[in-house]
Amino acid sequence: MQVYESPVLKVNASSENGKVVLDTEGPLSQLTKPFIKRINRIFEEEKAIAVEGDELIFSTWVPPFPGKAFNRVISAEIAAILKKRLPDQFSVGITARCPNNCIHCGAAGIKPEREMKLEEICSLLDQTLELGTYLISFDGGETMMRKDLVEMVAHVDKTKAIATCFTSGYGLSEERAKTLKNAGLYAAHISLDSPSEAEHDRIRGRKGAYLDSLSGIKNAKAAGIMTDMFVVVSPDNIDELEEFYSLAENLGMQELSIYEIIAVGRWLEHEDEVIGKKDVLRLEKFQKTMNKKSDGPRVTAFPYFMGPDLFGCFAGRRWMHVASDGEVMPCAYTPLSFGNVLEESLEAIWKRMGKHEAYKKQAKYCMMRNPKFREEYIHTIPKDAKIPLRLE
């Protein structure tokens, strides 16, 4: 099955024993072979979420194969090989409102003067799809506080991208889950900071937060929405990886995604309380070990996936985030803005971002973990400055 075609390159894909296998032909075939080999190795070594007939679901972060949206994944990979910037992953903060008061909140200190309206967000979705996006993530604050989230999900062209959302589980009722599923929600990334109820509630700053997470997982699953346990890992909870996995497995979740705590927002003064290289190696080993199991949820450890051995940092190169007031950032964890979509087009801002010195070249790992980057851009943000800081 052909999943990519240009005058100089064709990419074909097939499914063998529940695995996607890619091969190429054309003048650029030799140039792309090392990269295609790497992607094939990932498909071969990593466990897929499900294989149902001819359809293969690799992850809550990737469109199902076969399908037009999956073809855009391959187009994005080819663009990366050819050094073309394409925002294949796009997240949008639809609200800054949230019932929680998380000690690691990256959005803390951001007090938007306004919240984008439904029609403005829908226009934004159309614009990012035109740029080549295949993954749209609705983010917050707490996404369930927007009553029109269903309309946003429904607006996404599912032939081009999958629609997912981040949530703490708050407000994700049985009825809400059903309407989101009917609108085409592909997956829900439900956050959990500890396998312990008391500790999770402490980190979230609200009693009952843990039960909200479990309720949200239950309701999403019942509606047929894929569920991903989204864990922000830090030196405080990295020893609980097995416990997180067991909980996700017992709850029947499809995936356990691990992100790293970033020294931003309320965690800005804790630069010494983040994970290091040894932790990333530990996460890599954990992912590979768990994904060798025939059952249980798939594990995706982003510090490894977005590290030097695989894809590198996506921020500003393959990922773009828009805050709830329209400010465009390289990712949801970098408090730097390159413009506002309520003032100019998303394409113009994306091009400007790519011309900035910090985002011209490939980054081997998270830029926010880079001391030089933080010294030049993050440490220079005045305490009374508007966050995110606007860069020109």
Side-chain angles (χ1 to χ4, degrees):
M1 178 181 299
Q2 195 168 95
V3 293
Y4 177 86
E5 181 180 16
S6 77
V8 292
L9 181 68
K10 294 179 181 179
V11 180
N12 302 307
S14 60
S15 179
E16 300 176 10
N17 300 318
K19 307 287 184 180
V20 175
V21 179
L22 304 177
D23 64 81
T24 61
E25 54 183 299
L28 285 185
S29 183
Q30 285 301 119
L31 174 66
T32 61
K33 276 192 182 299
F35 303 94
I36 296 298
K37 184 177 180 180
R38 179 188 63 186
I39 295 171
N40 279 336
R41 177 168 56 85
I42 293 171
F43 281 133
E44 174 61 30
E45 295 178 353
E46 300 289 340
K47 175 170 60 181
I49 283 178
V51 180
E52 300 174 358
D54 294 332
E55 184 178 72
L56 184 147
I57 299 175
F58 184 69
S59 167
T60 58
W61 304 90
V62 179
F65 170 84
K68 292 181 179 180
F70 181 87
N71 294 358
R72 287 162 69 93
V73 176
I74 305 305
S75 296
E77 290 302 321
I78 299 302
I81 292 169
L82 300 178
K83 309 298 182 185
K84 295 180 180 179
R85 292 177 64 256
L86 188 155
D88 43 294
Q89 303 198 10
F90 178 81
S91 56
V92 52
I94 59 176
T95 184
R97 291 174 282 150
C98 185
N100 302 308
N101 191 29
C102 303
I103 63 175
H104 55 50
C105 179
I110 300 177
K111 296 181 179 179
E113 296 176 358
R114 58 159 297 178
E115 187 175 274
M116 285 189 290
K117 299 176 182 177
L118 173 62
E119 56 268 25
E120 292 168 335
I121 292 174
C122 287
S123 171
L124 187 58
L125 299 177
D126 292 339
Q127 291 180 62
T128 196
L129 288 175
E130 283 298 313
L131 292 175
T133 297
Y134 66 77
L135 168 63
I136 291 176
S137 301
F138 295 101
D139 203 351
E142 172 50 65
T143 54
M144 296 301 144
M145 299 194 81
R146 281 291 297 249
K147 300 305 179 185
D148 50 4
L149 172 60
V150 172
E151 286 79 6
M152 298 177 199
V153 172
H155 189 81
V156 176
D157 184 344
K158 310 306 187 302
T159 66
K160 294 181 178 179
I162 53 174
T164 70
C165 76
F166 289 91
T167 176
S168 66
Y170 177 89
L172 185 50
S173 65
E174 184 177 351
E175 184 59 34
R176 194 79 188 280
K178 288 179 181 178
T179 58
L180 286 168
K181 173 63 176 178
N182 290 337
L185 188 68
Y186 185 69
H189 305 293
I190 303 173
S191 52
L192 211 69
D193 295 312
S194 173
S196 161
E197 179 177 355
E199 179 63 7
H200 177 79
D201 286 359
R202 182 190 72 81
I203 295 172
R204 292 276 150 168
R206 181 176 64 85
K207 188 174 178 58
Y210 183 85
L211 295 179
D212 279 342
S213 294
L214 297 192
S215 176
I217 292 167
K218 175 185 175 183
N219 293 333
K221 278 181 54 61
I225 298 170
M226 286 194 295
T227 56
D228 168 45
M229 182 180 288
F230 190 79
V231 175
V232 176
V233 73
S234 72
D236 293 331
N237 64 4
I238 195 168
D239 290 332
E240 298 179 301
L241 293 175
E242 296 279 357
E243 288 82 356
F244 278 116
Y245 187 89
S246 294
L247 179 58
E249 186 173 29
N250 291 337
L251 292 170
M253 303 184 75
Q254 281 85 9
E255 193 157 14
L256 167 62
S257 292
I258 303 168
Y259 209 83
E260 60 186 291
I261 197 163
I262 305 292
V264 68
R266 289 200 184 97
W267 210 252
L268 184 60
E269 305 302 324
H270 300 265
E271 286 192 50
D272 57 338
E273 298 178 51
V274 295
I275 66 172
K277 290 183 179 179
K278 289 184 178 180
D279 297 315
V280 175
L281 291 173
R282 182 176 177 181
L283 293 174
E284 175 186 352
K285 182 179 179 181
F286 179 73
Q287 174 178 316
K288 289 182 176 180
T289 299
M290 292 305 170
N291 286 347
K292 286 180 181 178
K293 296 175 59 176
S294 60
D295 55 359
R298 169 186 164 74
V299 173
T300 299
F302 282 102
Y304 160 57
F305 246 91
M306 293 186 178
D309 293 334
L310 289 179
F311 298 101
C313 182
F314 275 25
R317 298 167 183 83
R318 302 185 62 172
W319 180 11
M320 175 168 45
H321 177 77
V322 178
S324 59
D325 59 354
E327 295 293 329
V328 183
M329 301 148 65
C331 78
Y333 305 97
T334 306
L336 304 173
S337 171
F338 285 84
N340 193 295
V341 290
L342 302 180
E343 300 168 2
E344 56 185 324
S345 73
L346 190 64
E347 182 179 16
I349 300 172
W350 174 246
K351 287 181 178 179
R352 180 184 305 125
M353 190 183 297
K355 293 178 182 178
H356 193 275
E357 190 63 31
Y359 296 97
K360 280 183 178 180
K361 299 178 182 179
Q362 176 85 1
K364 292 184 178 180
Y365 58 91
C366 175
M367 299 272 285
M368 290 293 284
R369 225 196 300 147
N370 185 331
K372 290 183 179 180
F373 177 83
R374 294 186 66 87
E375 186 65 34
E376 184 168 358
Y377 297 104
I378 307 304
H379 294 169
T380 57
I381 298 178
K383 290 188 176 181
D384 59 348
K386 183 182 184 298
I387 303 294
L389 184 69
R390 179 73 68 88
L391 294 181
E392 301 298 336

